Amino acid sequence: FREMIFFSAEAVYCEYIILYTRLYDEAPPKPTPAPAPVAPPAEPAECQVPPITSEVKDGDLLSLVLNDNSGEGLVPQLQGRHGEEGKNRCHVWWATLGQAAGAAKVRVRGPPNSCVLVWEEEQAAVFADDSIMEPGTAVWFFKSGKSDSHLSPVGMRVSLHADGTVSPAAAQHM
């Protein structure tokens, strides 16, 4: 749970005036205006989504090794065990780049155009951070339940493409 408080530029300036007046009993100089927010880059006009693979089937076991010959893969690293036993527990691992030998082995659950990838060792599923479907989003392995002995994989549906890439099923352009 994250709590965030946002202030408008006017609210910050008003608070600044109050503090400045209390300290110096005179009006402060006007602050320089904040720069305008930068718009996110536009998506390409045409996005070529690779075809869905026909070589992977429901139940297959895959290793999350990069196909760029770097010798690296996605290696789970424990982030933490959270929540209260008997109420709501979850275990979370970061997907970090590491040696291919330590790459997670995942079981495909469902058809390759909309499946969940479950890490065999811990029965945790691949999940995009906060379900954000944008390039650069962190990838996790996640499982949750009422107690540590009753945790289930919680993941997002992904698509497995013929070129070896994986994308969210709901955002195949990524």
Side-chain angles (χ1 to χ4, degrees):
F1 176 76
R2 288 180 249 171
E3 185 176 321
M4 293 184 206
I5 301 172
F6 296 96
F7 294 101
S8 67
E10 294 79 17
V12 171
Y13 182 67
C14 290
E15 186 68 20
Y16 175 72
I17 289 174
I18 292 167
L19 288 173
Y20 192 92
T21 304
R22 285 183 187 156
L23 290 173
Y24 300 103
D25 206 26
E26 61 184 81
K30 263 198 163 195
T32 55
V38 177
E43 289 200 25
E46 191 176 310
C47 181
Q48 297 296 322
V49 177
I52 300 298
T53 184
S54 59
E55 297 178 23
V56 177
K57 305 285 183 238
D58 182 22
D60 283 356
L61 187 65
L62 306 174
S63 183
L64 297 183
V65 174
L66 301 183
N67 64 1
D68 63 359
N69 297 318
S70 65
E72 293 181 312
L74 293 180
V75 178
Q77 178 183 354
L78 182 64
Q79 185 273 337
R81 293 169 169 59
H82 307 282
E84 187 176 330
E85 186 69 25
K87 290 191 176 183
N88 188 16
R89 292 284 289 163
C90 68
H91 296 183
V92 182
W93 292 261
W94 289 311
T96 61
L97 278 179
Q99 292 185 354
K105 304 218 178 354
V106 295
R107 182 77 56 191
V108 176
R109 291 192 182 172
N113 66 321
S114 181
C115 61
V116 175
L117 300 178
V118 179
W119 176 29
E120 280 285 289
E121 186 177 326
E122 286 286 343
Q123 291 301 299
V126 171
F127 194 83
D129 190 27
D130 288 335
S131 297
I132 298 171
M133 300 206 191
E134 296 175 8
T137 301
V139 176
W140 305 84
F141 294 93
F142 188 81
K143 63 182 178 178
S144 72
K146 287 198 174 226
S147 66
D148 285 343
S149 60
H150 293 91
L151 298 177
S152 299
V154 176
M156 63 185 302
R157 297 222 165 256
V158 298
S159 295
L160 307 176
H161 301 283
D163 65 356
T165 59
V166 178
S167 64
Q172 292 192 16
H173 64 282
M174 292 176 46

